[in-house]
Amino acid sequence: MVDLSIDCAGIKSPNPFWLASAPPANSGGQVQRAFDAGWGGAVWKTLGQPIQNVSSRFGGHDVRGVKAAGFNNIELITDRSLEVNFREIYETKKKYPKHAIIASLMVETREEWKDIIKRSIDAGADGLELNFGCPHGMCERGMGSAVGQEPKVNQEITSWAVEYSTVPVLVKLTPNVSDILPHGMAARRGGAHGVSLINTIKSIISVDIDRFVPEPRVGGLSTNGGYCGAAVKPIALHMVAQLARHKEFGLPISGIGGVSNWRDAVEFILLGSSSVQVCTEVMLRGYGVVEDMIDGLESYMKSHGFSTIAEMVGKAVPQYSEWANLDLNYETVAKIDPQKCIGCQLCVAACQDGAHQCIHPQGSDLAKKLGLTVLGAGPAGERVPVIDESECVGCNLCKIVCPVPDCISMVEVDNGYAPTTWNEHVSQGKDLRPKKGAH
């Protein structure tokens, strides 16, 4: 048996999957349905002085037939009264005492912070998330990312919240900075019990090329919004890992950004997240996506010998290093399995035009000149490409574009050179393996 329950900065939930502060966590009815579906926690849509939202407010970035691979919004915080929100938080917590409810908050003055924190805790919130990340609308009013981009302001407001709160305080960090470390450390100095990241990335999702107006269009104008969805996961993983590996940081992390399935969640956990927040995937697919996330996570834990989530947290962090510490003598080459190849030759085009010109059509003049042949006939016959291993630098592009799982593999080569990093080469003069050909 595996135990999916977690404790993220003192906030406990039956599993690590939380709804992020967004439309799916806008009301008590929604959060309760989410809990019934299997979600372990919910970060309530940000509370503050209610605002007026615009219409329309969402935009999607489609990639080669994949709808909304990236997503953009210009929606602000709650447009419902605080009284209604607090009543629904109370009712939901009473009905689901074992699930985590975190109140996301965004106000301006110290007195407003004091008041809204007390009311959130009185309503039953298990924790607070300080929204220092919103990159549109609210930042123009001196809140959201306007706070998150200024470490001194971040630290000061965090210290207010910690002073007034009797429950754990998470600081939600903005990715719209050049380096996440000063902002995470500011939250730490302010006394935060943990951080959550990333919030959305400032962006323009697209342009209506007939009306000459960016999307989403509000009458004849638009504005920049917050970019999220599957496309932002690599950025989020980097920022989570940057904090997780920093020796002086040491705070629990709630990971956010592009989580679409259980594998994404596992990656965030392995890079240091104690909980994982999801927004866009729920908006696109519904609360039921959590069932596969839970099943997949359980199966992964069993297959890898993990009993608890805590055993997984940060497992990949020690292997995240600087480029100068990588072994420059480690070498791989690409191998094509002719039994799996379908002869699409996407790898040929990618290698010839975008990489190192080492994959060739079988039977081509250059392949004949180099004496390159396919070992073992396959269903694709003469359409199976051949690889000039003397020129292959192991860049991995062919494997990335190949549509057939495990058709192309990157195989380690014993080149006779001892492991050597760039730092060792510069400081100690250690030998580097010869470069291949013109590359």
Side-chain angles (χ1 to χ4, degrees):
M1 285 292 292
V2 297
D3 181 5
L4 295 186
S5 66
I6 60 106
D7 182 331
C8 180
I11 303 171
K12 299 179 180 180
S13 63
N15 64 56
F17 298 109
W18 295 356
L19 292 179
S21 175
N26 186 51
S27 68
Q30 289 174 281
V31 172
Q32 291 176 30
R33 284 193 290 115
F35 288 167
D36 286 338
W39 292 90
V43 185
W44 212 270
K45 185 168 173 62
T46 302
L47 306 178
Q49 294 304 317
I51 49 75
Q52 175 69 44
N53 271 308
V54 297
S55 176
S56 61
R57 60 188 74 161
F58 300 142
H61 177 51
D62 303 339
V63 180
R64 295 175 183 166
V66 177
K67 295 289 289 182
F71 195 81
N72 171 282
N73 85 90
I74 56 173
E75 184 169 288
L76 303 183
I77 66 174
T78 185
D79 54 9
R80 305 186 313 139
S81 74
L82 290 175
E83 289 72 22
V84 169
N85 276 294
F86 287 133
R87 184 182 73 243
E88 293 179 0
I89 289 175
Y90 174 82
E91 293 169 348
T92 303
K93 186 60 187 177
K94 187 175 181 180
K95 188 175 181 180
Y96 298 85
K98 294 184 179 180
H99 289 69
I101 296 180
I102 299 92
S104 174
L105 307 176
M106 185 195 296
V107 289
E108 293 185 75
T109 69
R110 182 169 187 147
E111 284 305 309
E112 285 179 307
W113 280 105
K114 182 177 181 179
D115 176 70
I116 202 168
I117 287 171
K118 182 179 187 305
R119 295 174 72 182
S120 298
I121 296 170
D122 288 346
D126 299 293
L128 308 176
E129 183 180 84
L130 313 185
N131 186 342
F132 293 168
C134 182
H136 54 272
M138 304 309 293
C139 57
E140 297 168 21
R141 309 177 193 188
M143 294 178 280
S145 61
V147 174
Q149 291 171 332
E150 297 291 340
K152 290 183 179 179
V153 182
N154 171 341
Q155 178 180 340
E156 182 174 8
I157 296 179
T158 299
S159 71
W160 298 348
V162 172
E163 177 184 348
Y164 299 136
S165 179
T166 57
V167 298
V169 174
L170 305 178
V171 172
K172 190 171 188 178
L173 299 175
T174 177
N176 299 296
V177 294
S178 59
D179 182 358
I180 198 66
L181 285 174
H183 307 279
M185 293 304 293
R188 178 182 175 82
R189 289 192 300 272
H193 301 91
V195 297
S196 56
L197 72 158
I198 59 173
N199 207 316
T200 54
I201 301 168
K202 184 169 285 192
S203 60
I204 291 178
I205 195 73
S206 62
V207 177
D208 184 325
I209 61 174
D210 296 313
R211 294 188 176 94
F212 318 122
V213 181
E215 299 282 5
R217 182 172 55 86
V218 183
L221 297 174
S222 188
T223 188
N224 57 268
Y227 192 54
C228 54
V232 309
K233 189 186 81 170
I235 299 169
L237 287 175
H238 167 247
M239 291 190 169
V240 165
Q242 281 285 95
L243 291 178
R245 75 171 182 174
H246 191 64
K247 294 180 179 179
E248 297 178 8
F249 179 68
L251 294 181
I253 297 171
S254 182
I256 316 168
V259 176
S260 301
N261 53 55
W262 68 266
R263 297 184 69 93
D264 296 335
V266 168
E267 291 177 28
F268 272 91
I269 293 169
L270 294 177
L271 283 177
S273 300
S274 300
S275 70
V276 178
Q277 298 186 33
V278 184
C279 165
T280 308
E281 188 66 13
V282 174
M283 294 181 70
L284 299 175
R285 314 276 183 255
Y287 296 125
V289 297
V290 76
E291 295 179 18
D292 286 341
M293 292 181 180
I294 290 172
D295 289 345
L297 177 57
E298 286 182 333
S299 295
Y300 173 84
M301 291 175 68
K302 290 175 182 177
S303 67
H304 287 73
F306 293 115
S307 299
T308 66
I309 299 296
E311 294 173 1
M312 296 172 56
V313 175
K315 197 75 173 177
V317 172
Q319 289 70 250
Y320 169 41
S321 185
E322 298 298 330
W323 189 93
N325 295 324
L326 302 180
D327 179 10
L328 295 179
N329 287 338
Y330 176 78
E331 184 178 355
T332 62
V333 296
K335 300 279 188 179
I336 298 175
D337 185 343
Q339 299 303 317
K340 294 180 179 179
C341 179
I342 60 174
C344 68
Q345 297 196 356
L346 289 175
C347 59
V348 175
C351 184
Q352 289 294 323
D353 298 348
H356 295 273
Q357 301 81 54
C358 66
I359 303 181
H360 309 283
Q362 186 183 159
S364 66
D365 290 343
L366 185 55
K368 291 178 180 178
K369 180 179 179 181
L370 295 171
L372 302 175
T373 58
V374 174
L375 297 179
E382 294 183 356
R383 293 284 300 174
V384 178
V386 291
I387 298 176
D388 179 3
E389 294 184 9
S390 68
E391 288 290 329
C392 179
V393 300
C395 72
N396 212 39
L397 181 61
C398 56
K399 183 176 181 180
I400 291 171
V401 302
C402 181
V404 181
D406 301 321
C407 176
I408 298 179
S409 55
M410 308 307 297
V411 179
E412 184 175 356
V413 174
D414 183 2
N415 55 28
Y417 282 80
T420 300
T421 69
W422 176 252
N423 286 336
E424 291 171 333
H425 173 66
V426 171
S427 64
Q428 303 172 37
K430 288 191 174 182
D431 292 337
L432 300 180
R433 61 186 172 89
K435 297 177 183 178
K436 289 186 172 181
H439 307 300

